[in-house]
Amino acid sequence: MPMNKTSKMLQYVNYRMRVTIQDSRTLVGTFLAFDRHMNLVLADCEEFRKLKTKKGSGGFEEKEEKRTLGLVLLRGENVVSLQVEAPPQTSSKPTLPQGTGRGVPAGRGMGMPMPMPGLTGPVRGLGGPAPGSMQPSAAAPPMGMGMGMGVPPPGMGMGRGMPPLGMGMPPPGMGRGAPRGPPPM
């Protein structure tokens, strides 16, 4: 049965990997994730660079420089090679199981505890409206039903559904678009 690239890569998740990139630097870190572009995520990553320095007798001395980087997202375009450095570390500290995250109740069947008295909400008579003031009254009809149909709301004139001049409307000739009628002479 042939394996595709993603399943080959998945078997190395959590391994310590050595990644060589285009400018000949080497990154060593814990391989956490990858995608279809071969972008890599490495944790606890360290960078190793080989530097050539001139020696006094005309030769070159090769020196390796190490730098700690931490969490690295490496663009797949720069990856030249991947090598296994070490298998995943087995640690004694508890870890979360792999898989999709899901919120699950953590209780043991005892139900939700009742809040302490005093933390249940505002105290009666302090702050907020009186309890009866927020209840709908039977005397007031719902909005739009008490007035006759086709009657404008209070404050609106009987004109073509427009407020009277000076009530939030621009003066004539200052509205949007071209003015209607013949141009002034």
Side-chain angles (χ1 to χ4, degrees), residues 142-154:
M143 287 299 286
M145 298 300 283
M147 297 176 225
M149 293 301 271
V151 177

Side-chain angles (χ1 to χ4, degrees), residues 110-124:
M110 294 177 55
M112 293 294 291
M114 292 301 294
M116 294 174 54
L119 297 179
T120 56
V123 178
R124 185 177 181 92

Side-chain angles (χ1 to χ4, degrees), residues 64-151:
E64 189 170 70
E65 193 176 274
K66 176 183 168 183
R67 186 167 65 153
T68 303
L69 301 176
L71 186 66
V72 172
L73 173 61
L74 187 61
R75 187 176 172 91
E77 192 175 61
N78 298 321
V79 175
V80 174
S81 70
L82 283 167
Q83 298 172 344
V84 174
E85 185 81 5
Q89 293 178 344
T90 54
S91 63
S92 59
K93 62 182 175 181
T95 59
L96 294 174
Q98 286 186 343
T100 51
R102 192 175 83 199
V104 185
R108 302 216 172 190
M110 294 177 55
M112 293 294 291
M114 292 301 294
M116 294 174 54
L119 297 179
T120 56
V123 178
R124 185 177 181 92
L126 290 178
S133 69
M134 296 302 286
Q135 301 297 324
S137 65
M143 287 299 286
M145 298 300 283
M147 297 176 225
M149 293 301 271
V151 177

Side-chain angles (χ1 to χ4, degrees), residues 2-49:
M3 290 176 71
N4 62 12
K5 286 182 187 177
T6 57
S7 60
K8 284 181 186 178
M9 291 296 293
L10 275 173
Q11 70 186 7
Y12 295 113
V13 170
N14 293 326
Y15 273 65
R16 194 90 177 139
M17 300 291 280
R18 178 178 295 272
V19 182
T20 307
I21 57 177
Q22 284 181 343
D23 60 359
S24 73
R25 285 183 290 170
T26 303
L27 302 171
V28 177
T30 305
F31 179 47
L32 295 183
F34 67 98
D35 65 4
R36 63 182 172 175
H37 304 291
M38 199 55 130
N39 297 325
L40 305 177
V41 178
L42 300 174
D44 304 324
C45 189
E46 296 172 330
E47 173 193 62
F48 296 93
R49 263 180 12 174

